[in-house]
Amino acid sequence: MMRVFQLAIAGDVVALRIGFVIGGSLYLYYSGFDPRWSKYSVMTTTVVEAVKYAIGQGLTAINLSPIQRCLEDTLGIRAMIALNQAVQISPSLLSRFGLGGV
């Protein structure tokens, strides 16, 4: 079952994360946020609220991994959901060196 986690400020949605509850697990999928709010860590807050939801629902696992998963919905229809794979690299020299670049 699909879940949409939203963070709204003054009536405006500033961050959103889509998730799927399958069995006893929450699979977090696509997300987005208003870049004007980035310095306030709105995505972190949204993910924390999703985790709190999962705990409150008694779910036993949360999948945060950006990998491909084969999920089966409640109707028994198979769907392949390709999660985006991304690496965010800090602009610091140490971070670039750690990833093999300069």
Side-chain angles (χ1 to χ4, degrees), residues 20-75:
F20 297 92
V21 175
I22 300 186
S25 299
L26 173 63
Y27 293 84
L28 292 178
Y29 183 51
Y30 188 76
S31 65
F33 67 95
D34 184 333
R36 294 175 295 179
W37 290 90
S38 63
K39 69 180 179 179
Y40 300 104
S41 302
V42 292
M43 274 314 307
T44 300
T45 302
T46 305
V47 170
V48 167
E49 291 301 318
V51 170
K52 287 169 54 177
Y53 166 83
I55 293 168
Q57 295 296 306
L59 301 177
T60 57
I62 301 170
N63 188 323
L64 304 170
S65 303
I67 60 174
Q68 290 186 350
R69 293 276 182 196
C70 190
L71 304 176
E72 189 170 342
D73 70 11
T74 55
L75 299 175

